[in-house]
Amino acid sequence: MASPIEFWFDFSSPYGYIAAELIDAVAARHGRGVNWRPILLGPIFKTVGTAPLTVLPLKGEYSRHDFARMARLHKVPFRLPETFPVGTQVAARAFYLIADRDSGKAHDFARRVFRAYYVEGRDVADPAVVLDLAGLAGADTATLAEELKGETIKERMKAEVDNAMKAGVFGSPYFIVDGEPFWGVDRIPMLEEWMRTGGW
Amino acid sequence: MASPIEFWFDFSSPYGYIAAELIDAVAARHGRGVNWRPILLGPIFKTVGTAPLTVLPLKGEYSRHDFARMARLHKVPFRLPETFPVGTQVAARAFYLIADRDSGKAHDFARRVFRAYYVEGRDVADPAVVLDLAGLAGADTATLAEELKGETIKERMKAEVDNAMKAGVFGSPYFIVDGEPFWGVDRIPMLEEWMRTGGW
């Protein structure tokens, strides 16, 4: 089997959410898996010297319009939450803790977090919500709650973000397949063309 | 005939250049014309609070890679000039002066400016190069040289940029068709789908 698509995203990223709804089917069409990897855009934006789209003049208004338009195009349910963006470090840390034991449960958890935020409007920055969603995905929430309090997972999360930046990641969603990087949900067609043809 | 595609671009924008090579054929397929409108990203980036892609950490490296990849995908000749980006105010002002007399010549001039910069590596910030290209496009270069010295065209150019921002423009290329905005050469497929279906 060909190498998986590396898929980086922030749980607070609308385009990351739309990509999350699409990428597994895209990968399957090309006989590949997907390696889901939540990151935190906060520290990444500091490095790049940028800011969340929605706070920028002109670009903010366009983005709000485009999030909804892109979701409609792909028939993905979407509502921009009233509180946006939110801190997603607890959700991202929980993801890696779950993934270390069971990648299938982590995948289920990730999709639940996105839908909780963008469909149900739940506050996924709230640790109680994160634990609830982890439980629904079949994770051991007592162990998870304990591990989330420790320093180990905080350091681990920092390392994940650093590694993402070392791989070139500066936004969400960001894909790498066979060493080739693609930024943005709107680049999924190009990513597919790359997998189909082997590049150009 | 349906209303034209409004097409904003900066002569120093690689994605603007690639879009310029594609957009006329795209419009023709949908029975539309194109209204070419050069802008200056400098003042626009100040308003938005951003910077040229290539100067940003991580994003800069990706962009350089992606410019060339996007050009190859569309079979557009491209070489990132050694001096990049350059000031394009003289070329943009010349465009509007030419367009006021003959929009066909202005269109020819615009394509020549882009190709001079991105294919031949000429310094399109140099007024002498701008006048040379204007002459090749059939414009009266003596009159143009005189008009470029005046304050009127500087004010006009400022107004064009202000009007673009009032229309929501914050990058290059930027398209509006039937009131719907699309940012980026990678959104041309979405723009086409919008024209084909009337929107979603």
Side-chain angles (χ1 to χ4, degrees), chain A residues 68-145:
Chain A
R69 175 175 65 178
M70 186 64 82
R72 293 195 309 273
L73 176 65
H74 292 293
K75 307 200 186 327
V76 169
F78 173 84
R79 194 182 62 200
L80 193 66
E82 282 178 35
T83 306
F84 174 87
V86 290
T88 55
Q89 59 271 35
V90 177
R93 289 172 194 156
F95 175 93
Y96 287 106
L97 289 168
I98 299 168
D100 285 347
R101 292 195 176 86
D102 188 324
S103 64
K105 285 181 184 171
H107 177 261
D108 183 19
F109 169 73
R111 296 201 58 181
R112 286 177 186 274
V113 172
F114 270 132
R115 290 184 175 194
Y117 189 48
Y118 285 112
V119 182
E120 297 158 35
R122 295 180 75 184
D123 178 10
V124 296
D126 180 351
V129 172
V130 169
L131 287 174
D132 181 43
L133 297 169
L136 290 170
D140 172 352
T141 55
T143 306
L144 191 59

Side-chain angles (χ1 to χ4, degrees), chain A residues 54-72:
Chain A
T54 50
V55 307
L56 299 173
L58 300 174
K59 217 166 175 173
E61 198 182 336
Y62 176 87
S63 300
R64 285 169 193 274
H65 179 76
D66 191 56
F67 296 156
R69 175 175 65 178
M70 186 64 82
R72 293 195 309 273

